[in-house]
Amino acid sequence: EPNAPLSEAAEEDSELNEMRRRFWIAAALAIPLLLVSMGDMLPGHPVAVLLSVRGRGLRVLFLASPICLWAAWPFYTRAIQSVRHRSLNMFTLIGLAVAIAYSYSLVAAVWPGIFPASFRQDSGQVGVYFEAAGTIVVLILLGQVLELKARRQTNDAISLLLGMQVKMARLVAEDGSERDVPLEQVQPGDRLRVRPGEKAPVDGVVLEGSST
């Protein structure tokens, strides 16, 4: 996470745009993925009428692969970093869950014969979890987009506040003379004058004078 407001808005927007692009592509693939995977819950079992069990498994594999391999890639990198730094977090769980669900389902869809009979459903096929993995990725990507948008709004507000900061200060010298100096030249112990209508350039102790 950034420790200070970003100097260039484009730096923050690039991450937001990247997450938004991954989200929309993943969402576009997740909709048909859910329809193919769970369409038989509708009356008449429309998916089973149109596709064989084998064909359905290959189609959901084709739809889920871009989601679980490309769209979810930032989650895998963050999960690996969390393990490397010994600081497990949400991305550790997400990366592990999606990777296991996709890997298991990939083997079940391509090589179902290696599984024992106890793993098979009534249709004779091994159950896959492509739609669960894909849906999780889409929802987490949506959360990342919302988080980055909120962060950008916060950064804009902080930048606006920093833009209101006073750039100059009225320095009072030892002989009582006054001159305007850049704020960067003000040192602890300097005496400054804040004239009526001006903003206090720094925190300090009021030595004399008063104001409402």
Side-chain angles (χ1 to χ4, degrees), residues 117-138:
S118 59
F119 279 69
R120 302 183 183 276
Q121 300 174 341
D122 295 338
S123 61
Q125 295 295 316
V126 180
V128 295
Y129 302 95
F130 289 120
E131 77 284 355
T135 302
I136 289 173
V137 172
V138 171

Side-chain angles (χ1 to χ4, degrees), residues 100-112:
I100 291 176
Y102 177 80
S103 301
Y104 171 86
S105 301
L106 174 64
V107 176
V110 179
W111 301 285

